[in-house]
């Protein structure tokens, strides 16, 4: 087993990017009021309002599970249903937190096209039952970019939100990789969120370059009512809030949020291009953000493991590689060469 200088098992393997770290150090230069009454939290909130070109409500929480599950709980009563993709993080990776924090709202999963929800699948599920014995569909949750590394276009989000309006549903976006989607589409954050009908966005920080932290952004003030209490009750109100908010300021004011996402996307595209044309290795999903899913015989994946590469295969058995702000292009190239070699070795 060879030690690799860097692994691409997940985009949260990366450290804190320099811009976020500098902002955190600056916030450490003196004492400041607690629980979000400090100047950095105010400035970070304003930076989100500037970025999204609207007077949104912003809450800083520790991680994505908290962001998603508390946001969904704010949109739901305990007897409601939340429609999402079968492989959505809120369904498969949050240990039931959305149901827990909503006191029992039920997640209803819909079939997808490569991980993307479609209006037809949402409508079929939302209208399948209208009786009192089944939880009342209330929210649709989509993931941008998806767990399969795909990106919903503006038109696709629009089509989903128009359906939501027609059926009286609210729209939540799990944006753990929202920055990557903005980078892919070369699209302003506003144009990929509230302008296409998203009610609440969980904007991912950890995978974008923070040490920890996600931002819950409400575009409808009424939905944010009492959300601060919800965060506090759930253990998500940081007493030294500035250390959670200041790094965001570093990301947003310097533009690092977008540079970081572009870099991750570029590395994913680079890898996918270098492994084109191999007889037994293919892409399970189109590469649209910072993920590459390789479909390959078990023997090829074993060779990659023996060569020391770490990766997950929990989505359809494909080997997943994820690229963050710190991905070293030389190491990405080394991975590409090893994939080519592992594939060739099978032909002998
Ligand atoms: C990583 C991720 C999250 C956040 O997960 P936490 O571990 O709770 O921070 C949320 N949604 C998606 C799609 C993710 O990939």
């Amino acid at each position: 087993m060879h030690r690799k200088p860097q692994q691409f098992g997940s985009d949260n393997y990366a450290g804190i990017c320099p811009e976020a770290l500098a902002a955190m150090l600056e916030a450490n230069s003196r004492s400041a009021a607690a629980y979000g009454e400090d100047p950095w939290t105010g400035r970070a909130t304003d930076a989100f309002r500037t970025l999204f070109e609207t007077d949104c409500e912003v809450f800083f929480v520790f991680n994505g599970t908290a962001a998603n599950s508390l946001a969904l709980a704010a949109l739901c009563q305990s007897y409601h249903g939340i429609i999402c993709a079968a492989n959505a993080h809120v369904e498969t990776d949050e240990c039931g937190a959305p149901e827990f924090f909503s006191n029992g709202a039920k997640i209803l999963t819909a079939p997808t096209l490569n991980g993307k929800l479609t209006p037809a699948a949402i409508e079929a599920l939302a209208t399948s039952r209208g009786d009192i014995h089944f939880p009342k569909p209330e929210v649709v949750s989509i993931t941008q970019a998806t767990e399969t590394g795909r990106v919903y276009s503006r038109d696709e989000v629009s089509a989903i939100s128009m359906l939501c309006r027609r059926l009286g549903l609210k729209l939540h976006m799990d944006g753990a990789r929202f920055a990557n989607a903005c980078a892919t589409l070369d699209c302003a954050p506003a144009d990929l969120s509230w302008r296409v009908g998203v009610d609440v966005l969980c904007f991912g920080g950890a995978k974008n370059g923070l040490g920890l932290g996600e931002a819950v952004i409400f575009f409808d003030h009424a939905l944010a009512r009492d959300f601060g209490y919800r965060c506090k009750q759930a253990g998500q109100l940081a007493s030294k809030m500035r250390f959670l908010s200041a790094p965001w300021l570093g990301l947003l004011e310097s533009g690092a949020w977008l540079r970081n996402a572009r870099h991750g996307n570029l590395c994913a595209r680079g890898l996918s291009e270098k492994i084109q044309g191999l007889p037994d290795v293919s892409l399970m999903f189109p590469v649209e953000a910072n993920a590459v899913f390789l479909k390959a015989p078990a023997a090829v994946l074993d060779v990659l493991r023996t060569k020391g590469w770490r990766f997950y295969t929990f989505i359809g058995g494909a080997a997943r590689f994820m690229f963050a702000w710190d991905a070293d292009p030389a190491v990405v190239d080394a991975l590409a060469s090893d994939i080519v070699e592992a594939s060739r070795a099978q032909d002998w």
Side-chain angles (χ1 to χ4, degrees), residues 12 63-66 68 89 94 143 145 147 174 176-177 207 214:
N12 53 22
N63 66 18
T65 298
N68 284 332
H89 196 273
E94 300 190 354
T143 309
E147 289 76 4
D174 173 352
R177 301 185 182 91
K207 286 168 185 149
E214 317 274 301

Side-chain angles (χ1 to χ4, degrees), residues 64-301:
T65 298
N68 284 332
S69 57
L70 295 177
L72 289 169
L75 303 181
C76 274
Q77 297 292 328
S78 58
Y79 48 83
H80 280 147
I82 299 160
I83 295 175
C84 67
N87 59 7
H89 196 273
V90 294
E91 159 72 358
T92 63
D93 290 298
E94 300 190 354
C95 197
E99 292 95 330
F100 177 75
F101 283 109
S102 61
N103 291 305
K106 188 172 167 62
I107 287 191
L108 309 169
T109 62
T112 62
L113 283 175
N114 289 347
K116 271 194 201 177
L117 273 181
T118 62
I122 295 167
E123 183 159 17
L125 191 52
T127 57
S128 65
R129 291 274 294 268
D131 61 273
I132 205 153
H133 303 279
F134 190 71
K136 182 174 180 279
E138 179 70 12
V139 184
V140 172
S141 176
I142 58 176
T143 309
Q144 177 78 309
T146 68
E147 289 76 4
T148 52
R150 304 210 54 203
V151 170
Y152 289 95
S153 71
R154 249 186 309 184
D155 286 348
E156 286 171 325
V157 179
S158 256
I160 289 173
S161 74
M162 281 185 326
L163 173 71
C164 289
R165 294 295 174 270
R166 180 155 67 76
L167 299 178
L169 305 171
K170 296 175 195 113
L171 184 56
H172 163 260
M173 181 178 274
D174 173 352
R177 301 185 182 91
F178 181 76
N180 300 87
C182 291
T184 299
L185 299 174
D186 202 13
C187 191
D191 290 338
L192 208 46
S193 57
W194 62 273
R195 285 201 187 112
V196 283
V198 173
D199 294 306
V200 183
L201 168 69
C202 296
F203 192 129
K207 286 168 185 149
N208 189 237
L210 298 186
L212 77 168
E214 317 274 301
V216 184
I217 303 173
F218 288 88
F219 300 110
D220 175 346
H221 290 255
L223 296 175
R225 194 168 164 239
D226 292 345
F227 194 73
Y229 290 90
R230 204 179 275 288
C231 290
K232 173 67 189 179
Q233 186 184 53
Q236 292 292 324
L237 177 64
S239 71
K240 294 191 180 179
M241 182 66 90
R242 67 187 192 271
F243 297 116
L244 203 52
S245 59
W248 274 112
L249 201 54
L251 279 186
L252 301 185
E253 283 190 342
S254 70
W257 71 278
L258 190 56
R259 280 195 301 278
N260 289 352
R262 283 195 178 126
H263 178 75
N265 290 2
L266 203 66
C267 289
R269 181 134 39 87
L271 176 66
S272 70
E273 283 165 1
K274 289 202 175 72
I275 55 158
Q276 265 176 11
L278 297 175
D280 50 359
V281 176
S282 59
L283 299 174
M284 179 165 264
F285 308 110
V287 174
E288 295 174 349
N290 64 331
V292 175
F293 287 84
L294 288 186
K295 211 156 63 172
V300 171
L301 298 187

